[in-house]
Amino acid sequence: ANNVRPDDGVIALYSARGSEMDLSILAIQLGARGFQVVYPIVTGPGQMGFYRVVDGWRRQRSETPARNPLEPVTAEQLDGYEEVRPQDIAVIVTPGIAFDAQCYRLGFGGGFYDRYLQRAPRSVRAYGVGFSVQMTEGVPVKPHDRRLDAVVVP
């Protein structure tokens, strides 16, 4: 994403959990270059949005108001966070269980990213990030699955 500028829109990262690749250093580097970084928050059954921290006392990191990133939050827990519209996002970086050379991803089964990417404008670039061992011959693809723009592995 070297051709993306801070005024193109925000960068949506994810909060690493379990064995996912930790992107906290990338978030710091993007912030230093003037990018606004946002993170996903599950807001209801099967619903996810990307949010920015608006309260100065909260640290702008991978922290979300829920202990479990897949657990829906309440309106009260969203106090201090502001949702970013899909059309204001330039790049979405997605985790996954597996990726293939055709740039499809296998998620964790909740369908959060699949649904979000379906409603995001085609101008929003989506990148999968993982480890080399997560690359596979092919992942199951459903008609609603959006092909990623690229998959990045070490």
Side-chain angles (χ1 to χ4, degrees), residues 66-117:
R67 290 181 190 194
N68 176 355
L70 298 180
E71 171 186 298
V73 299
T74 65
E76 184 178 291
Q77 287 173 302
L78 280 177
D79 184 39
Y81 293 86
E82 176 182 73
E83 186 170 12
V84 176
R85 300 176 314 165
Q87 60 267 33
D88 293 333
I89 297 175
V91 174
I92 297 175
V93 179
T94 71
I97 292 174
F99 303 94
D100 65 21
Q102 291 74 40
C103 295
Y104 285 102
R105 66 181 282 277
L106 178 63
F108 297 93
F112 296 103
Y113 279 93
D114 294 326
R115 280 187 286 284
Y116 195 90
L117 290 172

Side-chain angles (χ1 to χ4, degrees), residues 6-28:
D7 58 348
D8 288 338
V10 300
I11 307 295
L13 298 181
Y14 61 85
S15 303
R17 60 188 178 95
S19 61
E20 293 174 347
M21 184 173 284
D22 184 358
L23 301 180
S24 56
I25 297 297
L26 176 61
I28 292 167

